[in-house]
Amino acid sequence: MKLEKSDILKALETITVAGEGKNMVESGAVKNIITFGDEVIVDLVLTTPALHIRKRAEVDIMKVIHEKVYEKAKIKVNIKVEAPTAQPEKNEIKGKQIPGISNIIAVASGKGGVGKSTVTSNLAVTLAKMGFKVGVLDADIYGPSIPIMFDVERERPLSVKEDGKSKMKPVENYGVKVLSIGFFTQPNQAVVWRGPMAAKALNQMIFDAAWGELDFMLIDLPPGTGDIHLSIMQSLPITGAVVVSTPQNVALADARKGVAMFQQDSINVPVLGVVENMAYFTPAELPDNKYYIFGKEGAKYLAEDLDIPFLGEIPLVQSIREAGDVGRPAALQVATPIEQAFEELTRNVVQEVVNRNDNLPPTEAIKITTMAGCSAVKK
Ligand SMILES: Nc1ncnc2c1ncn2[C@@H]1O[C@H](COP(=O)(O)OP(=O)(O)O)[C@@H](O)[C@H]1O
Ligand SMILES: [Mg+2]
């Protein structure tokens, strides 16, 4: 059986890659087709970093060639990811990176109260202990809790001059720089911000702040998957997302939505993995006993099911809660199982960031929004 290139091209014209608009031949994604006998090699260049889109493209190619050209064809698909070269939209500067900030990690959860801020703060202090330069940006407009967890809730960022411009200087504790939306709102004030406004405030806290050099900026996102998230994701070049869930079904269902949100075409933020928080309870007096209060390994199964990395499990421990309340993250308690659990989690996160940066281009497209009209951060 000799396969014809032209037949294969015709078959590939029926496939449209998500986010590319035109079919893959027309869009120029198909760079080369080689055939010999019943073998086909297709070289594809895609502009999307999302793994699931690449996988889908591969599966689709195999399917149409088998269906439309030759059912026994032996097919190999090589996919390369390149940053898009299309003209950026008017108010968009493609690939703009934030000077000095190497990696931005969004910490998200579908559901509130699952330990997003606890995981964020403990990740941050553990990264700092490992010698990384770390900042935390608390974007949870519904319940900013990072100032309490870092014992800085009475502090306010000072204004400093940098390159002739006034910038806010993040407050610092435990070697971590912190800015929070909570610094700019009254405690107990109901914050009913819409997405674009929250995104503007966050833009300011990133671009008009003197962060200095950072290896990692962690963003504690609001819970849920609403349009606030859309605005934030579309306005910042997020390296990857960490999704926190408890093993409980209701939390897992929401975590699944969270993952889907990052993977949707208009957002396309790589998901670094899932963290299982409150994985089990161990009473201090029975250190060998584990009680699976919220169910067992639910987040692990979710990760397997969605084909994303499982980053680690954090037990439900009273001292984690207490540490959060007094403003000294539990991972700072040296030589404890809690410190160990957070170290393992942090190592896995760093590993996934390294993998991501080796395999995918930077998350692109940062929209420049006007900074006007955001009274909350004008002080
Ligand atoms: N692993 C844990 N063990 C004990 N308490 C925890 C743990 N994770 C979170 N908590 C507590 O649960 C509450 C909610 O956690 P938080 O991090 O504020 O959740 P979120 O940011 O997702 O709303 C807090 O009181 C926190 O101290
Ligand atoms: Mg929180």
Side-chain angles (χ1 to χ4, degrees):
M1 171 76 190
K2 166 96 178 79
L3 293 173
E4 291 299 332
K5 244 185 192 177
S6 54
D7 295 337
I8 291 164
L9 263 178
K10 214 184 277 167
L12 297 185
E13 275 172 5
T14 61
I15 306 176
T16 302
V17 180
E20 307 243 331
K22 304 169 187 159
N23 77 58
M24 60 168 56
V25 178
E26 210 185 343
S27 72
V30 178
K31 291 295 173 205
N32 199 13
I33 296 172
I34 301 167
T35 59
F36 33 94
D38 59 356
E39 290 181 45
V40 188
I41 300 175
V42 179
D43 289 336
L44 205 64
V45 173
L46 297 180
T47 55
T48 167
L51 188 63
H52 67 288
I53 293 181
R54 287 186 279 154
K55 276 193 183 152
R56 166 81 64 78
E58 184 174 350
V59 170
D60 285 351
I61 289 172
M62 301 217 172
K63 197 166 149 229
V64 295
I65 295 177
H66 284 147
E67 277 175 6
K68 295 180 194 287
V69 186
Y70 180 49
E71 61 181 356
K72 288 185 187 141
K74 297 195 188 98
I75 306 163
K76 184 163 185 327
V77 181
N78 299 315
I79 301 184
K80 215 172 121 199
V81 178
E82 269 178 12
T85 49
Q87 252 344 79
E89 281 172 34
K90 239 201 222 134
N91 61 345
E92 222 172 47
I93 298 178
K94 176 177 63 70
K96 181 172 188 287
Q97 296 299 302
I98 298 170
I101 301 181
S102 307
N103 297 288
I104 302 183
I105 298 176
V107 183
S109 69
K111 199 174 165 315
V114 297
K116 193 164 37 64
S117 305
T118 303
V119 167
T120 306
S121 55
N122 282 288
L123 266 180
V125 297
T126 307
L127 284 167
K129 272 198 294 185
M130 290 173 171
F132 292 110
K133 300 192 194 79
V134 189
V136 170
L137 178 60
D138 179 7
D140 191 344
I141 53 174
Y142 303 117
S145 48
I146 291 295
I148 290 179
M149 291 184 174
F150 276 86
D151 194 20
V152 293
E153 79 264 39
R154 289 179 191 286
E155 293 187 36
R156 289 293 174 270
L158 299 172
S159 172
V160 290
K161 282 261 190 257
E162 204 181 75
D163 308 327
K165 273 169 69 181
S166 291
K167 296 202 166 179
M168 45 183 149
K169 188 170 182 282
V171 303
E172 197 169 331
N173 204 1
Y174 313 122
V176 176
K177 293 176 180 171
V178 174
L179 274 182
S180 170
I181 211 128
F183 290 148
F184 308 103
T185 55
Q186 303 300 322
N188 307 325
Q189 178 188 341
V191 184
V192 274
W193 279 3
R194 283 175 305 112
M197 222 166 138
K200 267 180 219 165
L202 292 176
N203 265 304
Q204 281 197 326
M205 287 201 286
I206 291 183
F207 293 105
D208 295 346
W211 288 101
E213 299 272 316
L214 292 183
D215 298 307
F216 293 97
M217 172 184 276
L218 307 182
I219 304 189
D220 188 0
L221 287 178
T225 49
D227 49 318
I228 287 185
H229 298 80
L230 279 176
S231 304
I232 295 172
M233 297 304 139
Q234 286 171 338
S235 65
L236 300 174
I238 309 242
T239 310
V242 168
V243 177
V244 180
S245 182
T246 66
Q248 201 178 359
N249 277 338
V250 284
L252 291 166
D254 288 355
R256 193 181 279 272
K257 282 186 214 156
V259 171
M261 168 182 78
F262 290 113
Q263 293 181 337
Q264 78 189 50
D265 288 346
S266 58
I267 291 185
N268 242 331
V269 168
V271 176
L272 300 171
V274 179
V275 181
E276 182 161 290
N277 189 33
M278 312 192 194
Y280 52 83
F281 169 67
T282 296
E285 64 280 12
L286 292 167
D288 294 330
N289 289 27
K290 291 181 177 179
Y291 299 93
Y292 296 91
I293 295 175
F294 296 117
K296 197 175 175 187
E297 297 183 345
K300 197 180 264 172
Y301 293 132
L302 179 73
E304 271 169 29
D305 189 33
L306 296 177
D307 198 17
I308 52 180
F310 180 69
L311 297 168
E313 55 180 24
I314 305 295
L316 174 67
V317 181
Q318 187 169 335
S319 62
I320 293 184
R321 198 272 302 153
E322 287 167 351
D325 286 350
V326 300
R328 191 171 191 280
L332 293 169
Q333 297 164 10
V334 289
T336 58
I338 300 169
E339 181 192 38
Q340 260 175 30
F342 280 114
E343 273 176 4
E344 197 179 321
L345 167 66
T346 307
R347 269 198 301 273
N348 289 337
V349 170
V350 173
Q351 184 58 51
E352 288 308 324
V353 171
V354 171
N355 291 349
R356 181 244 175 268
N357 289 346
D358 280 351
N359 292 314
L360 305 173
T363 304
E364 49 100 27
I366 166 148
K367 286 195 181 76
I368 302 302
T369 45
T370 53
M371 298 297 175
C374 187
S375 55
V377 291
K378 262 191 179 160
K379 296 189 181 174

